[in-house]
Amino acid sequence: MASAMLKLLKTESRHVLRRSYSSAAPTTKLFIDGQFVESKTSNWIDLTNPATNEVIGRVPEATKDELNAALESAKKAYKSWSQSTIMTRQQLMFRFARLLRENQSKLAAKITEEQGKTLADAEGDVLRGIQSVENSCSITTLQLGDCIQNIAKDMDTHSYKVPLGVVGGVAAFNFPVMIPLWMFPPALATGNTCIIKPSEQDPGATVMMMELLNEAGAPPGVVNVIHGTHDPVNFICDHPDIKAVSFVGGDAAGKHIYTRASANGKRVQSNMGAKNHGVIMPDANKEHTLNQLAGAAFGAAGQRCMALSTAVFVGEAKEWIPDLVARAKALKVNAGHVPATDVGPVISPKAKERIHRLIESGVKEGAKLALDGRGIVVPGFEKGNFVGPTVITDVQTNMECYREEIFGPVIVCLFVDTLDQAIQMINANPYGNGTAIFTTNGATARKFANEIDVGQVGVNVPIPVPLSMFSFTGSRGSFLGTNHFCGKQGIDFFTELKTVVSFWRQSDVSHAKSAVAMPTQQ
């Protein structure tokens, strides 16, 4: 059935994708075997603009036959792609990175339309994704193996990094370009083929990237894109021909994917929730610190897994709260495409309702609202999912607004007397994605970095996300798996070690005619 479906899907042409976008509610296409395909499903998900809640498209729940067709395409492509030269794969990354840069503004506009973040923030989303592709251009170094010659007489040992096969990726809504580009470029560069399921809330940018991947010359089937909610995720977790699963998103989905895929013998990397603390020392540079806090807490409407959503003020630093509130009030809340907007809408009415509920829970439990952004109305976008910057103070660690990841433009503020108390508080929190300290004292910063049990630490840097040559090293409750995304660990995730021990007796050497032509290494 899958093979027959694959042949049918290959008859679809790319112009179908473009023609569909002229309708009132265009359908999002599958991408199977290098072709954009109209789903045969009867189950569709409304795609809405978060600034207006208007339906701007429909996303399919891919059928079982379509899921199998995507897998058959990836399996078929793997046979030749895994045997391609490393320079062939590197050249694809070079071309793809160039096309992404040339289309950065178009990709950013699609992100803003579907996800809601400001155009400037969306441009950053694309840029960080491009940097991941550019890092994959270093595959000729990153995939180097190991060798020891003469480990015994006439015996050598070589260890190679070889691809796994077909791998799957499940992406979150908050970075529609960067997160998929954490997944399929390193997978392709190492010789794997890939099935990607973007978020059903903003899949358009991933579909656009498939056009660019085709233009870059990727062979059909090396990346296939499926859509939906639970069924495609479980398909990726369950099917024995999919060897590994990458996931970025919330706790519930991340734990489900890790448990289910691991039980089926797959390797998994699962980036999940966070509660990132920023420690403000009294000796910190006040202006720099407050500006960084406001940007890291309220940028992207707080919908970053590395948002600095929790501020821990040490000693008299708590006297800076009115200045933080003043900076938050100065931020402009509007639709993401409107110039000079600082804070766009959150992704959905459900997300907005949850944020409101968590703010209210803090008030009911005794916290103080220094700034309440729940009542904001944006002229011209009255139906949008807007929440204004919100500052909650006098928060205690037993409060729900502290325990839960709010994932909105909300900063919760706690007060302690000493650095040791701040460290103890952060280490007691179950999450370990990121943290930061603001200080002008090097010894204080060093103590914090050494004693904190968090995977990514910023010193006067509020969002310590490393560039793609380093791995994204969230820890504890923020990550499940062994190898992290990006950097050397990202390459290790998509490869398996194969060790070859060879024995060639020197006495068996034979002589042949010498080759005198220049070696071309083709």
Side-chain angles (χ1 to χ4, degrees):
M1 175 65 76
S3 297
M5 184 68 182
L6 181 56
K7 291 180 180 179
L8 176 63
L9 296 177
K10 289 183 71 173
T11 64
E12 301 279 353
S13 60
R14 188 184 297 185
H15 75 271
V16 175
L17 174 69
R18 298 193 177 101
R19 186 178 65 242
S20 71
Y21 283 145
S22 65
S23 64
T27 54
T28 302
K29 301 301 181 287
L30 304 165
F31 184 70
I32 299 177
D33 210 47
Q35 301 290 333
F36 295 97
V37 179
E38 184 75 63
S39 176
K40 307 300 182 186
T41 188
S42 58
N43 297 319
W44 296 86
I45 305 160
D46 283 344
L47 178 64
T48 59
N49 182 329
T52 62
N53 273 311
E54 294 174 347
V55 176
I56 56 176
R58 297 188 305 155
V59 181
E61 287 272 11
T63 67
K64 184 176 180 180
D65 285 345
E66 290 162 351
L67 298 177
N68 283 321
L71 178 56
E72 287 299 315
S73 173
K75 288 167 60 179
K76 179 182 177 182
Y78 178 73
K79 294 177 182 178
S80 57
W81 185 247
S82 62
Q83 298 303 311
S84 64
T85 70
I86 198 165
M87 288 181 289
T88 296
R89 303 196 299 272
Q90 182 190 48
Q91 286 296 320
L92 176 63
M93 294 297 107
F94 280 134
R95 294 191 297 270
F96 185 45
R98 174 180 59 81
L99 289 168
L100 287 168
R101 283 195 177 274
E102 291 174 357
N103 291 272
Q104 184 172 353
S105 296
K106 294 178 182 178
L107 287 163
K110 177 58 69 174
I111 292 172
T112 296
E113 179 188 26
E114 294 184 356
Q115 198 271 350
K117 65 176 66 176
T118 66
L119 280 172
D121 198 33
E123 291 265 2
D125 184 335
V126 180
L127 178 60
R128 293 304 291 261
I130 292 171
Q131 290 167 347
S132 176
V133 181
E134 290 174 338
N135 188 63
S136 294
C137 293
S138 301
I139 193 61
T140 49
T141 299
L142 293 172
Q143 205 171 347
L144 284 175
D146 298 304
C147 174
I148 295 181
Q149 191 177 31
N150 292 325
I151 198 165
K153 181 175 174 54
D154 296 336
M155 184 176 290
D156 308 320
T157 300
H158 297 78
S159 186
Y160 303 97
K161 294 182 179 181
V162 298
L164 304 177
V166 180
V167 298
V170 180
F173 77 84
N174 56 331
F175 286 93
V177 167
M178 183 186 75
I179 291 173
L181 291 180
W182 279 3
M183 297 174 179
F184 71 82
L188 292 187
T190 47
N192 300 277
T193 58
C194 198
I195 296 175
I196 292 289
K197 193 207 85 69
S199 171
E200 68 280 4
Q201 294 178 294
D202 49 15
T206 296
V207 175
M208 289 177 67
M209 287 194 289
M210 294 304 102
E211 292 228 31
L212 302 180
L213 195 63
N214 267 354
E215 189 175 342
V222 294
V223 179
N224 296 272
V225 177
I226 57 178
H227 300 295
T229 51
H230 300 98
D231 287 349
V233 172
N234 289 335
F235 176 83
I236 289 173
C237 291
D238 293 345
H239 202 290
D241 290 337
I242 298 175
K243 303 302 182 183
V245 185
S246 299
F247 170 78
V248 177
D251 282 358
K255 291 175 181 177
H256 169 81
I257 288 170
Y258 177 78
T259 301
R260 187 160 180 160
S262 296
N264 287 313
K266 305 176 193 290
R267 62 174 64 177
V268 183
Q269 51 182 187
S270 179
N271 275 9
M272 303 182 296
K275 197 72 176 180
N276 306 311
H277 298 65
V279 176
I280 299 92
M281 300 301 294
D283 65 7
N285 181 306
K286 182 178 179 180
E287 294 302 311
H288 170 81
T289 298
L290 292 175
N291 288 334
Q292 295 299 307
L293 277 179
F298 307 126
Q303 296 176 124
R304 296 172 177 151
C305 65
M306 286 291 287
L308 202 65
S309 60
T310 307
V312 183
F313 291 85
V314 179
E316 59 266 29
K318 66 182 179 182
E319 297 172 6
W320 298 357
I321 291 291
D323 300 280
L324 176 61
V325 170
R327 281 167 172 76
K329 285 182 177 179
L331 297 174
K332 181 180 178 181
V333 180
N334 211 323
H337 68 277
V338 175
T341 297
D342 298 306
V343 180
V346 297
I347 188 67
S348 68
K350 183 178 180 181
K352 178 180 177 179
E353 179 182 347
R354 180 178 181 275
I355 294 165
H356 281 194
R357 180 183 64 78
L358 288 170
I359 294 171
E360 183 61 26
S361 75
V363 175
K364 289 181 177 179
E365 291 182 308
K368 298 177 181 178
L369 264 182
L371 180 63
D372 188 353
R374 289 176 294 177
I376 193 166
V377 176
V378 177
F381 300 95
E382 289 81 5
K383 295 183 179 180
N385 308 317
F386 294 98
V387 181
T390 299
V391 180
I392 309 176
T393 67
D394 298 271
V395 173
Q396 303 297 318
T397 57
N398 62 337
M399 294 180 180
E400 187 181 14
C401 66
Y402 173 80
R403 300 194 315 271
E404 294 290 325
E405 182 180 26
I406 299 176
F407 224 59
V410 181
I411 188 167
V412 298
C413 302
L414 300 92
F415 306 136
V416 297
D417 294 326
T418 66
L419 175 62
D420 285 330
Q421 290 174 330
I423 292 172
Q424 183 179 7
M425 175 191 297
I426 297 169
N427 287 347
N429 189 279
Y431 291 113
N433 217 31
T435 188
I437 186 168
F438 297 91
T439 180
T440 55
N441 186 303
T444 297
R446 188 173 188 275
K447 172 184 172 68
F448 181 79
N450 286 342
E451 296 183 13
I452 208 70
D453 187 12
V454 174
Q456 299 173 113
V457 182
V459 177
N460 298 316
V461 176
I463 303 178
V465 177
L467 294 177
S468 294
M469 66 285 293
F470 292 93
S471 297
F472 186 99
T473 53
S475 62
R476 294 195 286 135
S478 296
F479 178 76
L480 289 171
T482 51
N483 294 115
H484 291 280
F485 286 87
C486 303
K488 293 178 181 178
Q489 287 206 4
I491 298 300
D492 290 343
F493 180 78
F494 289 115
T495 57
E496 187 68 83
L497 286 174
K498 176 186 284 188
T499 302
V500 178
V501 181
S502 57
F503 174 61
W504 299 103
R505 291 182 300 181
Q506 189 172 3
S507 59
D508 291 339
V509 171
S510 60
H511 300 278
K513 182 179 179 181
S514 298
V516 295
M518 176 69 180
T520 58
Q521 304 295 327
Q522 291 183 344

